[in-house]
Amino acid sequence: MEMSVSLVIAVASALVGLLCLRLVLAALLRLRKVKKGTGALGDTPADLKSFALRQLLSAIVMFALAAFIIVYS
């Protein structure tokens, strides 16, 4: 069975998108801990929110890239 390079790149992009979604979830869980007062001292809610937002944007871009590659290949 022959695997095309574009399919491999699309799968890799989707996996990176899943990793970004996992980082969003981790940041939101950490944000909840910080709001309760049990989080790490260096974490601020603003930093965690901006990190989660950036990772969410990265996930959206990665899934869009994977879909673009699959549709136009």
Side-chain angles (χ1 to χ4, degrees):
M1 182 168 77
E2 182 180 322
M3 295 264 306
S4 69
V5 175
S6 60
L7 181 63
V8 172
I9 293 172
V11 169
S13 295
L15 289 175
V16 170
L18 288 175
L19 176 65
C20 291
L21 285 179
R22 184 184 179 281
L23 289 173
V24 168
L25 181 64
L28 292 177
L29 290 174
R30 220 166 160 176
L31 178 64
R32 186 189 308 174
K33 284 184 180 180
V34 167
K35 285 185 177 180
K36 288 181 182 177
T38 60
L41 293 176
D43 293 334
T44 64
D47 288 340
L48 290 171
K49 284 180 187 176
S50 67
F51 179 76
L53 200 65
R54 285 191 311 259
Q55 291 302 319
L56 184 62
L57 180 63
S58 296
I60 291 169
V61 168
M62 286 295 133
F63 288 130
L65 177 64
F68 182 80
I69 290 171
I70 288 173
V71 168
Y72 288 105
S73 64

Coordinates of all heavy atoms in Angstrom, one line a residue:
M1 N 0.8 -1.2 0.0 CA 0.0 0.0 0.0 C 0.9 1.2 0.0 O 1.8 1.4 0.8 CB -0.9 0.0 1.2 CG -1.8 1.1 1.3 SD -3.1 1.0 2.6 CE -2.2 1.3 4.0
E2 N 0.6 2.1 -0.9 CA 1.4 3.3 -1.0 C 0.8 4.5 -0.2 O -0.4 4.8 -0.3 CB 1.4 3.7 -2.5 CG 2.3 4.9 -2.8 CD 2.3 5.2 -4.3 OE1 2.3 4.3 -5.1 OE2 2.3 6.4 -4.6
M3 N 1.6 5.1 0.6 CA 1.2 6.3 1.4 C 1.7 7.5 0.7 O 2.9 7.6 0.5 CB 1.7 6.2 2.8 CG 1.2 5.0 3.6 SD -0.1 5.5 4.7 CE 0.4 6.8 5.6
S4 N 0.9 8.5 0.4 CA 1.4 9.7 -0.2 C 1.9 10.6 0.9 O 1.5 10.6 2.1 CB 0.2 10.4 -1.0 OG -0.7 10.9 -0.1
V5 N 2.8 11.4 0.5 CA 3.4 12.4 1.4 C 2.4 13.4 1.9 O 2.4 13.7 3.1 CB 4.6 13.1 0.7 CG1 5.2 14.2 1.6 CG2 5.7 12.1 0.3
S6 N 1.5 13.8 1.1 CA 0.5 14.8 1.6 C -0.4 14.2 2.7 O -0.8 14.9 3.6 CB -0.3 15.3 0.4 OG -1.0 14.2 -0.2
L7 N -0.7 12.9 2.6 CA -1.6 12.2 3.6 C -0.8 12.2 4.9 O -1.4 12.4 6.0 CB -2.0 10.9 3.1 CG -2.9 10.1 4.1 CD1 -4.2 10.8 4.3 CD2 -3.1 8.7 3.6
V8 N 0.5 11.9 4.8 CA 1.3 11.8 6.0 C 1.4 13.2 6.7 O 1.3 13.3 7.9 CB 2.7 11.3 5.7 CG1 3.6 11.4 6.9 CG2 2.6 9.8 5.2
I9 N 1.5 14.2 5.9 CA 1.6 15.6 6.5 C 0.2 16.0 7.1 O 0.2 16.6 8.1 CB 2.0 16.6 5.4 CG1 3.5 16.3 5.0 CG2 1.9 18.0 5.8 CD1 4.0 17.1 3.8
A10 N -0.8 15.6 6.4 CA -2.2 15.9 7.0 C -2.4 15.2 8.3 O -2.9 15.8 9.3 CB -3.3 15.5 6.0
V11 N -2.0 13.9 8.4 CA -2.1 13.2 9.7 C -1.3 13.8 10.8 O -1.7 14.0 11.9 CB -1.8 11.7 9.5 CG1 -1.7 11.0 10.8 CG2 -2.9 11.0 8.6
A12 N -0.1 14.2 10.4 CA 0.8 14.9 11.4 C 0.2 16.2 11.8 O 0.3 16.5 13.0 CB 2.2 15.1 10.7
S13 N -0.4 16.9 10.9 CA -1.0 18.2 11.3 C -2.2 18.0 12.3 O -2.4 18.7 13.2 CB -1.5 18.9 10.1 OG -0.4 19.3 9.3
A14 N -3.0 16.9 12.0 CA -4.1 16.6 12.9 C -3.6 16.2 14.2 O -4.2 16.6 15.3 CB -4.9 15.5 12.2
L15 N -2.5 15.4 14.3 CA -2.0 15.0 15.6 C -1.4 16.2 16.4 O -1.6 16.3 17.6 CB -0.9 14.0 15.4 CG -1.3 12.6 15.0 CD1 -0.2 11.7 14.7 CD2 -2.3 12.0 16.0
V16 N -0.8 17.2 15.7 CA -0.3 18.4 16.4 C -1.5 19.2 16.9 O -1.5 19.8 18.0 CB 0.6 19.2 15.4 CG1 0.8 20.6 16.0 CG2 1.9 18.5 15.1
G17 N -2.6 19.2 16.1 CA -3.8 19.9 16.5 C -4.4 19.2 17.8 O -4.8 19.9 18.7
L18 N -4.4 17.9 17.9 CA -4.8 17.2 19.1 C -3.9 17.5 20.3 O -4.4 17.7 21.4 CB -4.8 15.7 18.9 CG -6.0 15.2 18.0 CD1 -5.8 13.7 17.7 CD2 -7.3 15.5 18.6
L19 N -2.6 17.6 20.0 CA -1.7 18.0 21.1 C -2.0 19.4 21.6 O -2.0 19.7 22.8 CB -0.3 17.9 20.6 CG 0.8 18.4 21.6 CD1 0.8 17.5 22.8 CD2 2.2 18.4 20.9
C20 N -2.3 20.3 20.7 CA -2.7 21.7 21.1 C -3.9 21.7 21.9 O -4.0 22.5 22.9 CB -2.8 22.6 19.9 SG -1.3 22.9 19.0
L21 N -4.9 20.9 21.6 CA -6.2 20.8 22.3 C -5.9 20.3 23.7 O -6.5 20.7 24.7 CB -7.2 19.9 21.6 CG -7.9 20.6 20.4 CD1 -8.8 19.6 19.8 CD2 -8.6 21.8 20.8
R22 N -5.0 19.3 23.8 CA -4.6 18.8 25.2 C -3.9 19.9 26.0 O -4.2 20.0 27.2 CB -3.6 17.6 25.0 CG -3.3 17.0 26.3 CD -2.3 15.9 26.2 NE -1.9 15.3 27.4 CZ -1.1 15.8 28.3 NH1 -0.5 16.9 28.1 NH2 -0.8 15.1 29.4
L23 N -3.1 20.7 25.4 CA -2.5 21.8 26.1 C -3.5 22.9 26.6 O -3.4 23.5 27.6 CB -1.4 22.5 25.3 CG -0.2 21.6 25.1 CD1 0.8 22.3 24.1 CD2 0.6 21.4 26.4
V24 N -4.5 23.1 25.7 CA -5.6 24.0 26.1 C -6.3 23.5 27.4 O -6.6 24.2 28.3 CB -6.7 24.2 25.0 CG1 -7.9 24.9 25.5 CG2 -6.0 24.9 23.8
L25 N -6.6 22.2 27.4 CA -7.3 21.6 28.5 C -6.4 21.7 29.8 O -6.9 22.0 30.9 CB -7.6 20.1 28.2 CG -8.3 19.3 29.3 CD1 -9.7 19.9 29.6 CD2 -8.5 17.9 28.9
A26 N -5.1 21.4 29.6 CA -4.2 21.5 30.8 C -4.2 22.9 31.3 O -4.2 23.1 32.5 CB -2.8 21.0 30.4
A27 N -4.1 23.9 30.4 CA -4.1 25.3 30.9 C -5.4 25.7 31.6 O -5.3 26.4 32.6 CB -3.8 26.2 29.7
L28 N -6.5 25.2 31.1 CA -7.8 25.6 31.7 C -7.9 24.9 33.1 O -8.4 25.5 34.0 CB -8.9 25.2 30.8 CG -9.0 26.0 29.6 CD1 -10.2 25.5 28.7 CD2 -9.2 27.5 29.9
L29 N -7.4 23.6 33.2 CA -7.4 23.0 34.5 C -6.5 23.7 35.5 O -6.8 23.8 36.7 CB -7.0 21.5 34.4 CG -8.1 20.6 33.7 CD1 -7.5 19.2 33.4 CD2 -9.4 20.6 34.4
R30 N -5.4 24.1 35.0 CA -4.4 24.8 35.9 C -5.0 26.2 36.3 O -4.8 26.7 37.4 CB -3.1 25.0 35.1 CG -1.9 24.9 35.9 CD -0.7 24.8 35.1 NE 0.4 25.1 36.0 CZ 1.6 25.0 35.6 NH1 1.9 24.7 34.4 NH2 2.6 25.3 36.4
L31 N -5.7 26.8 35.4 CA -6.4 28.1 35.7 C -7.4 27.9 36.8 O -7.5 28.8 37.7 CB -7.1 28.6 34.4 CG -7.9 29.9 34.6 CD1 -6.9 31.1 34.9 CD2 -8.6 30.3 33.3
R32 N -8.1 26.8 36.8 CA -9.1 26.5 37.8 C -8.4 26.4 39.2 O -8.8 26.9 40.2 CB -9.9 25.3 37.5 CG -11.0 25.0 38.6 CD -11.6 23.7 38.5 NE -12.1 23.4 37.1 CZ -12.7 22.2 36.8 NH1 -12.8 21.3 37.8 NH2 -13.1 22.0 35.6
K33 N -7.2 25.7 39.2 CA -6.5 25.6 40.4 C -5.9 26.9 40.9 O -5.9 27.2 42.1 CB -5.3 24.6 40.2 CG -5.7 23.2 40.2 CD -4.4 22.3 40.1 CE -4.8 20.9 40.0 NZ -3.6 20.0 39.9
V34 N -5.5 27.8 40.0 CA -5.0 29.1 40.4 C -6.1 29.9 41.0 O -5.9 30.6 42.0 CB -4.3 29.8 39.2 CG1 -4.0 31.2 39.5 CG2 -3.0 29.1 38.8
K35 N -7.3 29.9 40.4 CA -8.4 30.6 40.9 C -8.8 30.2 42.3 O -9.3 31.0 43.1 CB -9.6 30.6 40.0 CG -9.4 31.4 38.8 CD -10.7 31.4 37.9 CE -10.5 32.4 36.7 NZ -11.7 32.4 35.9
K36 N -8.6 28.9 42.6 CA -8.9 28.3 43.9 C -7.8 28.7 44.9 O -8.0 28.6 46.1 CB -9.1 26.8 43.9 CG -10.3 26.4 43.2 CD -10.4 24.8 43.3 CE -11.7 24.3 42.6 NZ -11.7 22.8 42.6
G37 N -6.6 29.1 44.4 CA -5.5 29.4 45.3 C -4.6 28.2 45.6 O -3.7 28.4 46.5
T38 N -4.7 27.1 44.9 CA -3.9 26.0 45.1 C -2.9 25.8 44.0 O -2.2 24.8 44.0 CB -4.7 24.7 45.3 OG1 -5.4 24.5 44.0 CG2 -5.6 24.8 46.4
G39 N -2.8 26.7 43.0 CA -1.9 26.5 41.9 C -0.4 27.0 42.2 O -0.1 27.4 43.3
A40 N 0.4 26.9 41.2 CA 1.8 27.3 41.4 C 1.9 28.8 41.5 O 1.0 29.5 41.1 CB 2.6 26.8 40.2
L41 N 2.9 29.2 42.2 CA 3.1 30.7 42.5 C 3.3 31.5 41.3 O 2.9 32.6 41.2 CB 4.2 30.9 43.5 CG 3.9 30.3 44.9 CD1 5.2 30.5 45.8 CD2 2.7 31.0 45.5
G42 N 4.0 31.0 40.2 CA 4.3 31.8 39.1 C 3.2 31.9 38.1 O 3.3 32.7 37.1
D43 N 2.1 31.2 38.2 CA 1.0 31.2 37.2 C 0.0 32.3 37.6 O -0.4 32.4 38.7 CB 0.3 29.9 37.2 CG 1.2 28.8 36.6 OD1 2.1 29.1 35.9 OD2 0.9 27.6 37.0
T44 N -0.3 33.2 36.6 CA -1.3 34.1 36.8 C -2.5 33.8 35.9 O -2.3 33.2 34.9 CB -0.8 35.6 36.5 OG1 -0.5 35.6 35.1 CG2 0.4 35.9 37.3
P45 N -3.7 34.1 36.3 CA -4.8 33.8 35.4 C -4.7 34.4 34.0 O -5.1 33.8 33.0 CB -6.0 34.4 36.2 CG -5.6 34.4 37.6 CD -4.1 34.7 37.6
A46 N -4.2 35.6 33.9 CA -4.0 36.2 32.6 C -3.1 35.5 31.7 O -3.3 35.3 30.5 CB -3.6 37.7 32.8
D47 N -2.0 35.0 32.3 CA -1.0 34.2 31.5 C -1.6 32.9 31.1 O -1.4 32.5 29.9 CB 0.2 33.9 32.4 CG 1.1 35.1 32.6 OD1 1.0 36.1 31.8 OD2 1.9 35.1 33.5
L48 N -2.3 32.2 31.9 CA -2.9 31.0 31.6 C -4.0 31.1 30.5 O -4.2 30.3 29.6 CB -3.5 30.3 32.8 CG -2.4 29.8 33.8 CD1 -3.0 29.3 35.1 CD2 -1.6 28.7 33.1
K49 N -4.8 32.2 30.6 CA -5.9 32.4 29.6 C -5.3 32.7 28.3 O -5.7 32.2 27.3 CB -6.7 33.6 30.1 CG -7.7 33.3 31.2 CD -8.5 34.5 31.5 CE -9.4 34.3 32.7 NZ -10.1 35.5 33.1
S50 N -4.2 33.5 28.2 CA -3.6 33.9 27.0 C -2.9 32.6 26.4 O -3.0 32.4 25.1 CB -2.6 35.0 27.1 OG -1.5 34.6 27.9
F51 N -2.3 31.8 27.2 CA -1.7 30.6 26.7 C -2.8 29.6 26.1 O -2.6 29.1 25.0 CB -0.9 29.9 27.8 CG -0.3 28.6 27.4 CD1 0.8 28.6 26.6 CD2 -0.9 27.3 27.7 CE1 1.4 27.4 26.2 CE2 -0.3 26.2 27.3 CZ 0.8 26.2 26.6
A52 N -3.9 29.5 26.8 CA -4.9 28.6 26.3 C -5.5 29.1 25.0 O -5.8 28.4 24.1 CB -6.0 28.5 27.4
L53 N -5.7 30.4 24.9 CA -6.2 31.0 23.7 C -5.3 30.8 22.5 O -5.7 30.5 21.4 CB -6.5 32.5 23.9 CG -7.5 33.2 23.0 CD1 -8.8 32.6 23.2 CD2 -7.5 34.7 23.3
R54 N -4.0 31.0 22.8 CA -3.0 30.8 21.7 C -3.0 29.4 21.2 O -2.9 29.1 20.0 CB -1.6 31.3 22.1 CG -1.4 32.8 22.2 CD 0.0 33.1 22.3 NE 0.7 32.4 23.4 CZ 0.9 32.9 24.6 NH1 0.5 34.1 24.9 NH2 1.5 32.1 25.6
Q55 N -3.1 28.4 22.2 CA -3.0 27.0 21.8 C -4.3 26.6 21.1 O -4.3 25.8 20.2 CB -2.9 26.2 23.1 CG -1.5 26.3 23.7 CD -0.4 25.9 22.7 OE1 -0.5 25.0 21.9 NE2 0.7 26.7 22.7
L56 N -5.4 27.2 21.5 CA -6.7 26.9 20.8 C -6.6 27.4 19.3 O -7.0 26.7 18.4 CB -7.9 27.6 21.5 CG -9.2 27.3 20.9 CD1 -9.6 25.8 21.0 CD2 -10.3 28.1 21.7
L57 N -6.0 28.6 19.1 CA -5.9 29.1 17.8 C -4.9 28.2 17.0 O -5.2 27.9 15.8 CB -5.3 30.5 17.8 CG -5.1 31.2 16.5 CD1 -6.4 31.4 15.7 CD2 -4.4 32.6 16.7
S58 N -3.9 27.7 17.6 CA -3.0 26.8 16.9 C -3.7 25.5 16.5 O -3.4 25.0 15.4 CB -1.8 26.5 17.8 OG -1.0 27.6 18.1
A59 N -4.5 25.0 17.4 CA -5.3 23.8 17.1 C -6.2 24.0 15.9 O -6.3 23.1 15.0 CB -6.0 23.3 18.3
I60 N -6.9 25.1 15.9 CA -7.8 25.4 14.8 C -7.0 25.5 13.5 O -7.4 24.9 12.4 CB -8.5 26.7 15.0 CG1 -9.5 26.5 16.2 CG2 -9.3 27.2 13.8 CD1 -10.2 27.8 16.7
V61 N -5.8 26.1 13.5 CA -5.0 26.3 12.3 C -4.5 24.9 11.8 O -4.5 24.6 10.6 CB -3.8 27.2 12.5 CG1 -2.8 27.1 11.4 CG2 -4.3 28.6 12.7
M62 N -4.1 24.0 12.8 CA -3.6 22.7 12.4 C -4.7 21.8 11.8 O -4.5 21.1 10.8 CB -3.0 22.0 13.6 CG -1.7 22.6 14.0 SD -0.5 22.3 12.8 CE 0.3 23.9 12.7
F63 N -5.9 21.9 12.4 CA -7.0 21.1 11.8 C -7.4 21.6 10.5 O -7.7 20.9 9.5 CB -8.2 21.1 12.8 CG -8.0 20.2 14.0 CD1 -8.2 20.7 15.2 CD2 -7.5 18.9 13.9 CE1 -8.0 19.9 16.4 CE2 -7.3 18.1 15.0 CZ -7.6 18.6 16.2
A64 N -7.4 23.0 10.3 CA -7.7 23.6 9.0 C -6.7 23.2 8.0 O -7.0 22.9 6.8 CB -7.8 25.1 9.1
L65 N -5.4 23.2 8.3 CA -4.4 22.8 7.4 C -4.5 21.3 7.0 O -4.4 21.0 5.8 CB -3.0 23.0 8.1 CG -1.8 22.5 7.3 CD1 -1.7 23.4 6.0 CD2 -0.5 22.7 8.1
A66 N -4.8 20.4 8.0 CA -5.1 19.0 7.6 C -6.2 18.8 6.7 O -6.2 18.1 5.7 CB -5.3 18.2 8.9
A67 N -7.3 19.6 7.0 CA -8.5 19.5 6.1 C -8.2 20.0 4.7 O -8.6 19.4 3.7 CB -9.7 20.3 6.7
F68 N -7.4 21.1 4.6 CA -7.1 21.7 3.3 C -6.2 20.7 2.5 O -6.4 20.5 1.3 CB -6.3 23.0 3.6 CG -5.9 23.7 2.3 CD1 -6.8 24.5 1.6 CD2 -4.6 23.6 1.9 CE1 -6.4 25.1 0.5 CE2 -4.2 24.3 0.7 CZ -5.1 25.0 0.0
I69 N -5.3 20.1 3.2 CA -4.4 19.1 2.5 C -5.2 17.9 2.0 O -5.0 17.5 0.9 CB -3.3 18.7 3.4 CG1 -2.3 19.8 3.7 CG2 -2.5 17.5 2.9 CD1 -1.2 19.6 4.7
I70 N -6.1 17.4 2.8 CA -6.9 16.2 2.4 C -7.8 16.6 1.3 O -7.9 15.8 0.3 CB -7.6 15.7 3.6 CG1 -6.7 15.0 4.6 CG2 -8.7 14.7 3.2 CD1 -7.3 14.6 5.9
V71 N -8.4 17.8 1.3 CA -9.4 18.1 0.3 C -8.7 18.4 -1.1 O -9.2 18.0 -2.1 CB -10.2 19.4 0.7 CG1 -11.0 19.9 -0.4 CG2 -11.2 19.0 1.9
Y72 N -7.6 19.0 -1.0 CA -6.9 19.5 -2.3 C -5.8 18.5 -2.7 O -5.0 18.9 -3.6 CB -6.4 20.9 -2.2 CG -7.5 21.9 -2.2 CD1 -7.9 22.5 -1.0 CD2 -8.3 22.1 -3.3 CE1 -9.0 23.4 -1.0 CE2 -9.3 23.0 -3.3 CZ -9.7 23.7 -2.2 OH -10.7 24.5 -2.2
S73 N -5.7 17.3 -2.1 CA -4.7 16.4 -2.6 C -5.2 15.3 -3.5 O -6.4 15.1 -3.6 CB -3.9 15.8 -1.4 OG -4.8 15.0 -0.6

